[in-house]
Amino acid sequence: MRRTTALRTGLSALLLLGTWVTASTLPASAADSPARSGEAPASPELLSAMQRDLGLTRSQTEARLASEKTATAVERKAKQAAGSSYGGSWFDADSGKLTVAVTRSADTEAIRATGATVRLVKHSAHQLDAAKARIDDLSAPAGVSSWYVDPKANKVVVNVVTARQDDNDVQDFLAQARQTGPVTVKQTPAAPQTFAAGTVGGDPYYTGNVRCSIGFSVHGGFVTAGHCGGAGAAVYGWDRSYVGNFQGSSFPDNDYAWVNVGSGWWTVPVVLGWGTIPDQLVRGSNEAPVGTSICRSGSTTHWRCGAVLAKNETVNYSQGAVHQMTKTSVCAEGGDSGGSFISGDQAQGVTSGGWGNCSSGGETWYQPVNEILNRYGLTLHTA
């Protein structure tokens, strides 16, 4: 659905995508955003999008958003209370509670006092992260799609493409991975790929022959995916007018970039609703826990919702591995790259890639927005 000329003029600096979720460390520019008195949990249209994609009723959607907001606040307190015993955490949509894994029973009382439930595990998050880091140092073949720490399983999960699982190089990689620590292997139907696209119609930004989507406005520009353009590349808006240039870009290893905005364009703290939902204000970038709902808006597939599946996952694209990604059950397609993942009014990250599409389903990864802000010293533009 195309926006009106008035909306294009008023929000042109936001250009394309939608709304995202995640972050690693919280920068000074990403302050807590307390709920405003009488404020609805989300717009009716956003609630409808979540109902469509998550199979919920309106009351279930509102209850889940409230529980997820509480879980996000609890997670920070519980992690601090657990200290070195911390083994990870996840949100359970059925119970509406955050579960925190710990390696010492002596820590359970302090963690329960934060409002979280507790599970005793064998391996700490530090041990699991160290095992994953050792896997990061290995050379992964094309048949290995990604690997990440799963706090619920208390192991490092290595995903392999089903059709390639018996390849000798895949088996060799798995043998080396198992030597790094507690590892389990899962199958995935397809290899990940980035979601950039050739020049087509719609509301994009363009660089060369590639169409991508804007993630979030920052003071002085916007953040997006690194695979959309290299440092210095010129960027043009939906109307083909000059916007600015890629000031920094990293891909692979990372998948993030930022573009300066000028030449009559400006930034606003909004994610476009594409006429399907009202444009969404961005008020911060607090990181949402694993298991919480998340929505995305892109120049190709517009508003789509799902859940956070994993954090700090290494994704093995054909161009090379990308680290510290967050995996979601949200679908995406070509041209959605760089677009925004958002949880409530909190920015989470920019779309990188995935597998599948919005007809048959799939999974999508995003690069956490707080990592991008910290890397380039940027300040998120918030309402």
Side-chain angles (χ1 to χ4, degrees):
M1 180 182 298
R2 298 181 62 83
R3 301 195 302 281
T4 65
T5 300
L7 182 56
R8 291 178 187 275
T9 302
L11 298 177
S12 58
L14 287 184
L15 289 191
L16 301 180
L17 266 259
T19 27
W20 292 61
V21 195
T22 39
S24 34
T25 56
L26 192 66
S29 60
D32 286 349
S33 176
R36 291 160 170 76
S37 177
E39 186 178 85
S43 69
E45 294 84 356
L46 180 55
L47 292 173
S48 295
M50 292 180 64
Q51 292 172 56
R52 176 196 66 196
D53 293 338
L54 295 173
L56 303 173
T57 66
R58 182 185 177 100
S59 61
Q60 288 173 331
T61 303
E62 291 177 340
R64 177 161 177 170
L65 286 173
S67 296
E68 289 175 350
K69 186 172 184 178
T70 299
T72 299
V74 167
E75 185 179 46
R76 295 193 296 271
K77 298 175 184 177
K79 185 175 182 178
Q80 184 176 12
S84 62
S85 178
Y86 181 71
S89 57
W90 61 93
F91 175 79
D92 180 74
D94 292 331
S95 66
K97 297 288 187 179
L98 182 80
T99 298
V100 175
V102 293
T103 59
R104 295 188 301 264
S105 59
D107 297 318
T108 59
E109 184 175 347
I111 295 169
R112 289 194 180 98
T114 68
T117 59
V118 183
R119 178 183 294 181
L120 286 173
V121 295
K122 182 177 180 180
H123 307 287
S124 69
H126 177 75
Q127 291 171 322
L128 294 173
D129 288 341
K132 179 188 172 291
R134 289 189 285 270
I135 299 176
D136 284 343
D137 291 335
L138 303 177
S139 178
V144 176
S145 64
S146 66
W147 51 97
Y148 65 97
V149 170
D150 183 348
K152 197 170 185 178
N154 200 226
K155 292 182 179 181
V156 179
V157 175
V158 178
N159 291 306
V160 300
V161 179
T162 302
R164 306 289 296 275
Q165 61 181 318
D166 295 326
D167 291 359
N168 290 335
D169 55 357
V170 171
Q171 290 301 311
D172 288 344
F173 179 88
L174 294 177
Q176 295 177 69
R178 290 186 176 102
Q179 295 176 10
T180 67
V183 167
T184 187
V185 178
K186 294 185 177 180
Q187 296 181 25
T188 187
Q193 59 184 1
T194 56
F195 285 127
T199 301
V200 296
D203 271 328
Y205 76 82
Y206 298 90
T207 178
N209 66 344
V210 171
R211 170 170 65 89
C212 280
S213 301
I214 286 177
F216 294 99
S217 287
V218 297
H219 290 287
F222 65 82
V223 294
T224 186
H227 71 263
C228 291
V235 171
Y236 300 88
W238 61 268
D239 60 353
R240 298 293 185 163
S241 67
Y242 174 72
V243 175
N245 295 78
F246 279 85
Q247 299 299 300
S249 180
S250 179
F251 179 80
D253 187 27
N254 306 292
D255 193 6
Y256 52 60
W258 83 280
V259 175
N260 69 318
V261 166
S263 303
W265 294 76
W266 64 94
T267 66
V268 288
V270 173
V271 169
L272 292 177
W274 293 93
T276 302
I277 67 167
D279 299 329
Q280 301 293 295
L281 290 175
V282 178
R283 293 196 170 101
S285 57
N286 291 331
E287 182 179 359
V290 169
T292 54
S293 61
I294 189 169
C295 293
R296 179 191 61 74
S297 177
S299 60
T300 299
T301 59
H302 301 174
W303 277 93
R304 302 286 172 169
C305 299
V308 178
L309 301 179
K311 296 183 181 182
N312 192 25
E313 184 160 358
T314 300
V315 181
N316 191 34
Y317 293 126
S318 61
Q319 300 93 331
V322 176
H323 304 92
Q324 294 179 311
M325 302 273 271
T326 297
K327 179 167 64 179
T328 76
S329 61
V330 185
C331 67
E333 296 181 8
D336 287 328
S337 279
S340 37
F341 268 87
I342 195 165
S343 177
D345 57 11
Q346 300 296 303
Q348 299 295 310
V350 300
T351 305
S352 174
W355 61 267
N357 55 52
C358 289
S359 296
S360 59
E363 294 176 337
T364 301
W365 287 270
Y366 65 83
Q367 186 91 67
V369 69
N370 285 336
E371 181 183 356
I372 309 172
L373 300 177
N374 288 333
R375 168 63 179 82
Y376 294 118
L378 302 170
T379 300
L380 187 68
H381 193 168
T382 58

